[in-house]
Amino acid sequence: MGQKAKSTGVAWGWQERALEFFSAKAARKRYADRIASENMRRAYDGASRGRMTDGWNTSGTSADAEIAAAGGMLRDRMRDLVRNNPLAAQAVQVLVNNIVGTGIRPRAKTASADQNQKIDALFEQWSMKSDAHGHTDFYGLQALAVREMIEGGDLFAMRRTRRRTRARRVPLQVELFEADHLDDARFDHRTDGSRIDNGIEYDGQGARAAYWLFPDHPGGNSPAFRRKYESVRVTADRVAHLFERQRVQSRGVPWGAPAMRALRDLDDWRIAEMVRKKTEACMVGVVFGDDPETGINSDPGVFDKHGNAIESFQPGMIAHARGKEIKFNNPAATGGIRDWNLVQMLAIAAGFRVPYALMTGDMSQSNFSSNRAGLNEFRRMVEQLQWLTVIPMFCQKVWDWFTEAAWTAGLIPDPVVPVEWAPPKFESVNPWQDAQTDLLETRAGFTTLPQQIGKRGWDHATVLREQKAALDLVDQLGLILDSDPRRVTRQGMFQSEPQDGDTDDTEGNDPPPQETERE
């Protein structure tokens, strides 16, 4: 058995020896299973064991178990970095700017256009008073919610029922709570199959039934906050929990977690390098030699011109060592600083999932093509977050609360209203080229005019109505504008109106491409 252990690399352990005493067959089967398991590991370099992977500590714990153990520390460190580190602060701001911008706007999509206009106008009116703290509107709540999700991992929005007034026709407001408000120390498993894990209550089917939240922030230092240490149960239909799911998990983690060590190491290195440079610059030179009065240097040390021993250094200082010879200090040069900083900042940008140029403002590492390719990938990630995380987990829930409250107040006929969301458009890197592409796709039938207007963040019906009103006014005043395609071609040529019976609709239109090229 010793030879087999040597050839396979799997030792015949004390478990096999103890099991062999009772059943040699069972011991051999256990040993064979261990060999098979080790062979499976060897098929993947990442699962190999040996000198090259020593110190690689892993665990098979669930995502919720890992977050419960590390979530609080990750939040505290991430907030400290955002407060004090410019790279972390800018990375968070870039993500908020692109995910939310000026707001992800809803548009009612019922079968009645008039009803849609009425609901949209009601929502815009409610939006101005939607913040329970009275600081901002619904779109400001979106920005703060996304920022809390990125910086703290979680955001809890609570539905607050208010008294209806003339200024507040829809009796609803939304209050935001940081991740710290969840009582993640609360656990309970009941006989009916329901349970409480990390402050979240689940029913027997595994669906979320309630959240256990502290009314005030546990870290508050006001005496009013210290009175409320007990968490309260809030039913799940009153809470919108916003977080990003990267595994099958119940809570989120700060987005900068992969970059935290790199950010901290870069800060420490910069401080150490700055202190070294300051220390080297403090001492300009030292005077060496014998004391001119005694002829000997009986009292070694470094002194100022008055004979006082020097225990600290100042910039530009010249010290004396009981003599006349002067040796000047030459600070050592440090090479490769920019390259090392660049590598670190690239890793930090990757950890935050933002382009390096947007995080640092340094455009020297990219040209037009590479910058556009990087932005395209970043925008795909942003769109995924908008449509798969922010809209269904936060925006849609708030919309459902709004329509239910408006229906309860007798303002709309149905508590469930279909909605279409319009995220803010991305600014074009090459506006003229992108506009030409949109025009060609629309003319070819690949997209529709409402789709092109919608991707710019506008409601196509509103835009077309405004366009018709503007053109009617132009006609009424007898004006011919260069922007009017009914009267002017793309080349700026006047387009005559077709006469009765005229079947040639190409007169005055743009020339074919080949004619344009010949010109």
Side-chain angles (χ1 to χ4, degrees):
M1 192 59 67
Q3 292 180 352
K4 289 183 179 180
K6 183 177 180 180
S7 62
T8 61
V10 179
W12 181 268
W14 65 267
Q15 297 96 334
E16 285 79 16
R17 290 194 296 271
L19 188 60
E20 188 179 23
F21 180 79
F22 300 97
S23 173
K25 181 178 179 181
R28 288 193 298 270
K29 183 177 184 304
R30 173 183 169 82
Y31 181 67
D33 291 342
R34 291 180 59 203
I35 294 176
S37 177
E38 183 64 22
N39 290 336
M40 287 293 293
R41 291 194 187 97
R42 291 174 184 165
Y44 295 92
D45 291 339
S48 62
R49 294 178 179 176
R51 180 175 57 86
M52 300 301 295
T53 56
D54 285 347
W56 189 346
N57 299 319
T58 60
S59 64
T61 53
S62 67
D64 288 338
E66 294 173 357
I67 294 171
M73 182 63 72
L74 289 175
R75 287 195 298 271
D76 294 342
R77 290 180 174 177
M78 188 70 245
R79 288 165 179 161
D80 178 74
L81 288 170
V82 172
R83 285 193 298 267
N84 300 297
N85 188 288
L87 294 178
Q90 177 65 8
V92 171
Q93 188 62 53
V94 166
L95 289 168
V96 176
N97 290 347
N98 283 271
I99 296 173
V100 178
T102 56
I104 302 175
R105 299 180 179 274
R107 291 192 294 265
K109 295 294 292 182
T110 67
S112 171
D114 293 338
Q115 187 68 21
N116 292 339
Q117 292 184 41
K118 177 182 177 182
I119 295 174
D120 291 342
L122 185 64
F123 182 86
E124 289 301 320
Q125 183 184 15
W126 169 81
S127 170
M128 301 302 296
K129 303 290 185 180
S130 60
D131 184 5
H133 295 157
H135 299 306
T136 183
D137 59 4
F138 173 63
Y139 307 109
L141 291 177
Q142 286 181 3
L144 181 57
V146 171
R147 174 178 288 274
E148 287 288 346
M149 175 185 66
I150 295 170
E151 186 175 329
D154 295 88
L155 182 280
F156 298 95
M158 185 183 298
R159 171 180 183 170
R160 294 293 195 186
T161 302
R162 302 303 191 197
R163 185 172 58 88
R164 186 181 178 187
T165 64
R166 178 178 299 179
R168 185 169 51 239
R169 299 175 62 196
V170 179
L172 168 70
Q173 285 187 322
V174 178
E175 185 175 4
L176 302 185
F177 292 89
E178 291 185 334
D180 311 79
H181 283 265
L182 186 68
D183 186 2
D184 53 10
R186 184 179 286 270
F187 290 85
D188 187 18
H189 289 258
R190 302 159 182 164
T191 57
D192 60 356
S194 61
R195 69 187 192 280
I196 302 175
D197 284 335
N198 298 314
I200 302 176
E201 183 177 333
Y202 303 87
D203 61 19
Q205 304 297 322
R208 298 192 178 199
Y211 296 85
W212 290 83
L213 300 172
F214 293 110
D216 299 308
H217 197 292
N221 57 6
S222 172
F225 293 161
R226 296 175 183 174
R227 294 197 300 265
K228 298 181 180 179
Y229 283 115
E230 288 294 326
S231 57
V232 297
R233 184 179 185 271
V234 182
T235 56
D237 62 335
R238 294 178 54 206
V239 177
H241 184 193
L242 178 61
F243 69 101
E244 184 190 22
R245 300 182 70 192
Q246 296 181 337
R247 292 178 60 183
V248 180
Q249 60 196 72
S250 301
R251 298 198 63 186
V253 295
W255 286 20
M260 283 184 181
R261 289 287 299 273
L263 281 166
R264 186 68 176 179
D265 290 345
L266 182 60
D267 268 353
D268 290 345
W269 181 86
R270 285 176 176 171
I271 293 174
E273 184 66 17
M274 180 180 62
V275 171
R276 185 178 71 86
K277 288 292 186 181
K278 284 184 176 181
T279 303
E280 289 179 344
C282 281
M283 178 176 286
V284 175
V286 179
V287 180
F288 290 89
D290 296 337
D291 190 313
E293 297 180 358
T294 63
I296 59 173
N297 192 355
S298 59
D299 189 11
V302 181
F303 305 89
D304 60 18
K305 63 181 180 180
H306 302 293
N308 301 317
I310 295 176
E311 297 180 352
S312 62
F313 299 97
Q314 299 175 358
M317 183 184 68
I318 296 179
H320 292 260
R322 299 293 190 191
K324 297 179 180 180
E325 182 184 357
I326 300 177
K327 290 186 178 181
F328 290 95
N329 181 40
N330 295 320
T334 304
I337 293 179
R338 174 177 172 79
D339 294 337
W340 190 86
N341 274 272
L342 177 61
V343 171
Q344 290 296 105
M345 289 189 291
L346 286 171
I348 292 169
F352 272 104
R353 294 175 277 175
V354 300
Y356 165 84
L358 296 184
M359 184 185 73
T360 62
D362 179 14
M363 302 294 179
S364 64
Q365 304 300 314
S366 61
N367 53 34
F368 178 81
S369 299
S370 62
N371 185 46
R372 185 163 186 170
L375 287 177
N376 287 340
E377 180 61 29
F378 176 65
R379 288 170 178 177
R380 278 192 288 269
M381 182 204 72
V382 168
E383 287 180 344
Q384 182 191 58
L385 290 166
Q386 288 171 336
W387 289 104
L388 305 183
T389 300
V390 179
I391 290 176
M393 300 180 75
F394 179 79
C395 298
Q396 185 64 49
K397 267 219 163 185
V398 175
W399 174 266
D400 293 339
W401 293 343
F402 161 77
T403 56
E404 183 180 350
W407 172 75
T408 304
L411 301 174
I412 59 176
D414 199 306
V416 179
V417 178
V419 62
E420 179 183 55
W421 295 96
K425 72 168 185 174
F426 291 113
E427 295 296 331
S428 175
V429 179
N430 190 333
W432 185 89
Q433 188 179 69
D434 291 342
Q436 290 292 105
T437 302
D438 292 342
L439 177 61
L440 292 174
E441 289 182 349
T442 305
R443 292 174 66 93
F446 298 149
T447 62
T448 64
L449 184 59
Q451 289 175 339
Q452 293 292 351
I453 296 175
K455 79 176 187 178
R456 287 163 170 78
W458 299 99
D459 177 20
H460 72 276
T462 302
V463 171
L464 294 178
R465 280 193 295 268
E466 291 180 0
Q467 180 78 338
K468 183 180 185 306
L471 293 176
D472 289 343
L473 181 60
V474 167
D475 293 340
Q476 180 182 348
L477 298 176
L479 301 176
I480 297 178
L481 303 179
D482 188 65
S483 60
D484 189 349
R486 304 172 304 165
R487 302 294 183 89
V488 181
T489 66
R490 291 171 60 189
Q491 279 71 31
M493 303 296 293
F494 177 72
Q495 186 165 276
S496 60
E497 297 182 1
Q499 302 297 325
D500 294 339
D502 189 358
T503 58
D504 184 9
D505 59 355
T506 63
E507 182 181 358
N509 288 342
D510 299 340
Q514 61 270 21
E515 295 182 11
T516 304
E517 293 174 359
R518 284 200 299 269
E519 292 177 0

